[in-house]
Amino acid sequence: MILILAPEISPQSDFYRQLMAHLAQLPGISTRVHEERGAQKTLLEVYLIGNTAALDLDAMRALPGVERVVRVSEEYRILGRHHDDQRSCEFVYNGVRFGQDNLNVFAGLCAVDTREHVEIMLRTLQTHGQPCTRMGAYKPRTNPYSFQGHGKSCLPYVFELAGKYAIKVIAMEVTHESHVDEIRAALHATGQATGVMLQIGTRNTQNFELLKIVGKQAEFPVLLKRGFGITLEESLNAAEYLASEGNRMIVFGLRGMKTNMGDPHRNFVDFAHVPVVKRLTRMPVCIDPSHSVGTRDASPDRILDVMHVTAQGVIAGANMILVDFHPAPGKALVDGPQALRLDELAWFLDDIAIARSAYEKRVARAQQTVSN
Ligand code: PEP
Ligand code: MN
C-alpha cells in the first residue's frame, strides 16, 4: 500500500511526525519513504510493507496529511500501474521531458571511435534540432577480441562537444560502478556541459548488483534494456530493482529478442510490447530498431527495415527511439552494418513524424469511441 501525502507535507512537519508515529505502531507493518520529485512539485510517498491486507483503506485515507492511498497489486510495486493509480508517468532531466505521452529521438554513434566522427554526428543533430543522442564509451562485446570502446579517455571530448552543439542528454551504457563515477567526474570537469542517461544493456538486465548501484544514485536517469533471452516479466522486475533502490527516472527499452541464426533480422522485433509495457507500468518505453534489425536491408518499397520497425513502434506509442547513425558506417568500429547514414537523418525524422501523427490520430479516434 502506498500513502501519497499532500504536497504541503514536508518531512519536518508535525503532520508527518504524527503520521509516522502512528504507522510505527501498526502491527506487522514497516515503512519506506520516497520523495517523488516531479516537474512542478515534490511528493512524499510512504510505502507500507507487510500485512497491508489487514489495513482499512478509508482509515488510511483519513490519516493526517494523507492525500491519496493506492493499494498495490503484487507485480511491480513501485513502477506498476495499480488500480486507481494516478501517479505521474514522467520526469524531466536536464530540460528534456520523458513521459508515456511524448517522444524523444536519440540518434547517434553505437560506439565512439574518433573525435572527428563525434563532432560530425553532434553538429548534424544540432542542424536537425535534435537535443539528444546515443554514444557508447564502454562497449560490452560478445567477442573478447573485439573493440571494447575507448572508455573514460573519450569522455572529456564527447561531453565538451555535446555542450558545444547544445546536446542535453547522451544515452551511454555502463557495465560497472566505476563507469558511473568516471562519467560523473568527466561531466564535472566540463562544467556539466551536457547530461547522461545511463544505459543498462541487454546483457546486464539481470546484473542485480549493477542495478542496485545504478538505482541508488539519483543524479542520472536510466535506460534499462529488456533482456534478450528472458521473459518480459523478468525484465520488468529488473526495472523494479532500480526503482526499489530509489531512482524513479527509468525508461524501459525494447531491443528485440534472440532468435534463430539465419533469420532475416539480428533479433526478433518485439515492439508489439510497447503498449503492454505502458499498460503494466508507468515507465516511458524506448525502442531500439538498430539492435533489433541489425542490417541496412530495405524492402521493395525502398524503406529500410530499420525505418519500418521504427514506424511500427512509434505508431504503437513508443516514447523514445535509440538508433545507430554513423558519418561513415563502413569505418564504424561497432555495428557499422546496421548504422544509418547522416544524409538519411532528415528522412528518418520525417518518417517518425508521419508515424507519430498516425498514432495521435489513433488515440483521438479511440477516445471518441470511449466517450460515446
Ligand atoms: C547498444 O545499445 O549499444 C547495445 C549494446 O544494445 P543492447 O544492450 O540492446 O545489445
Ligand atoms: Mn551496438
Side-chain angles (χ1 to χ4, degrees):
M1 184 177 280
I2 309 169
L3 310 183
I4 298 159
L5 307 192
E8 65 276 11
I9 304 290
S10 77
Q12 290 77 35
S13 65
D14 285 344
F15 273 136
Y16 180 79
R17 262 183 245 123
Q18 280 169 25
L19 174 69
M20 296 312 281
H22 175 76
L23 297 176
Q25 292 169 5
L26 297 176
I29 300 284
S30 62
T31 56
R32 201 156 154 175
V33 181
H34 171 73
E35 276 189 30
E36 181 82 14
R37 285 192 199 95
Q40 268 95 42
K41 52 186 180 185
T42 297
L43 288 181
L44 287 174
E45 296 177 353
V46 183
Y47 284 73
L48 303 185
I49 302 155
N51 184 23
T52 55
L55 300 176
D56 178 54
L57 216 55
D58 287 332
M60 300 315 285
R61 265 193 210 113
L63 291 173
V66 173
E67 186 165 271
R68 270 181 300 127
V69 178
V70 177
R71 205 184 262 291
V72 300
S73 47
E74 275 311 296
E75 290 288 82
Y76 325 125
R77 286 184 188 202
I78 298 171
L79 295 172
R81 207 178 248 291
H82 307 292
H83 181 64
D84 274 347
D85 190 355
Q86 307 298 324
R87 287 177 300 157
S88 135
C89 298
E90 63 173 51
F91 61 87
V92 176
Y93 172 68
N94 209 22
V96 181
R97 189 171 78 83
F98 296 86
Q100 280 198 337
D101 60 349
N102 71 345
L103 177 61
N104 293 295
V105 180
F106 282 61
L109 305 179
C110 179
V112 170
D113 42 30
T114 66
R115 183 189 168 110
E116 188 197 3
H117 287 154
V118 170
E119 179 147 27
I120 297 171
M121 183 76 237
L122 298 179
R123 191 192 307 129
T124 308
L125 288 169
Q126 188 185 37
T127 308
H128 289 82
Q130 293 298 308
C132 302
T133 188
R134 56 157 301 150
M135 295 263 156
Y138 310 95
K139 299 303 302 180
R141 306 299 302 282
T142 304
N143 185 331
Y145 309 111
S146 304
F147 172 64
Q148 306 281 315
H150 288 309
K152 73 171 176 185
S153 68
C154 69
L155 299 181
Y157 70 78
V158 169
F159 295 161
E160 175 210 315
L161 289 170
K164 177 172 172 191
Y165 293 106
I167 298 293
K168 299 274 176 222
V169 189
I170 306 176
M172 182 174 276
E173 180 163 358
V174 292
T175 63
H176 192 271
E177 183 172 12
S178 59
H179 301 162
V180 184
D181 297 336
E182 288 166 9
I183 288 171
R184 187 181 290 112
L187 281 174
H188 183 73
T190 60
Q192 312 294 335
T194 185
V196 170
M197 175 178 278
L198 303 175
Q199 187 176 321
I200 306 278
T202 195
R203 290 158 188 80
N204 273 315
T205 308
Q206 286 188 309
N207 182 340
F208 298 117
E209 297 313 312
L210 181 65
L211 295 176
K212 286 185 204 164
I213 285 156
V214 171
K216 271 197 182 77
Q217 61 77 38
E219 188 178 351
F220 304 111
V222 186
L223 167 63
L224 176 77
K225 294 270 198 98
R226 173 191 194 156
F228 54 21
I230 58 174
T231 64
L232 181 63
E233 187 191 343
E234 287 164 335
S235 299
L236 294 176
N237 270 308
E240 189 73 14
Y241 258 92
L242 294 167
S244 73
E245 295 294 337
N247 195 322
R248 304 289 163 82
M249 298 186 291
I250 308 168
V251 178
F252 188 79
L254 297 171
R255 48 83 70 214
M257 302 290 294
K258 266 208 181 301
T259 179
N260 293 330
M261 292 270 287
D263 277 355
H265 293 157
R266 184 173 170 186
N267 288 286
F268 195 78
V269 182
D270 55 351
F271 300 167
H273 289 173
V274 168
V276 178
V277 177
K278 289 171 78 172
R279 170 167 84 234
L280 292 175
T281 77
R282 298 177 296 121
M283 289 183 281
V285 181
C286 174
I287 53 169
D288 177 344
S290 305
H291 290 81
S292 300
V293 168
T295 72
R296 288 184 43 84
D297 290 341
S299 63
D301 57 19
R302 298 180 176 225
I303 300 175
L304 301 178
D305 288 8
V306 168
M307 297 203 194
H308 267 302
V309 304
T310 302
Q312 288 159 16
V314 171
I315 207 167
N319 307 114
M320 174 170 157
I321 301 165
L322 192 76
V323 59
D324 291 2
F325 270 77
H326 198 285
K331 291 191 189 157
L333 296 179
V334 183
D335 286 348
Q338 71 194 20
L340 303 189
R341 299 188 314 257
L342 300 192
D343 63 357
E344 292 167 330
L345 181 58
W347 173 23
F348 183 73
L349 294 172
D350 284 348
D351 207 42
I352 291 171
I354 293 167
R356 177 72 190 177
S357 107
Y359 170 69
E360 283 166 0
K361 284 185 193 148
R362 294 177 63 221
V363 172
R365 180 65 187 81
Q367 272 161 8
Q368 257 175 37
T369 307
V370 173
S371 56
N372 283 342

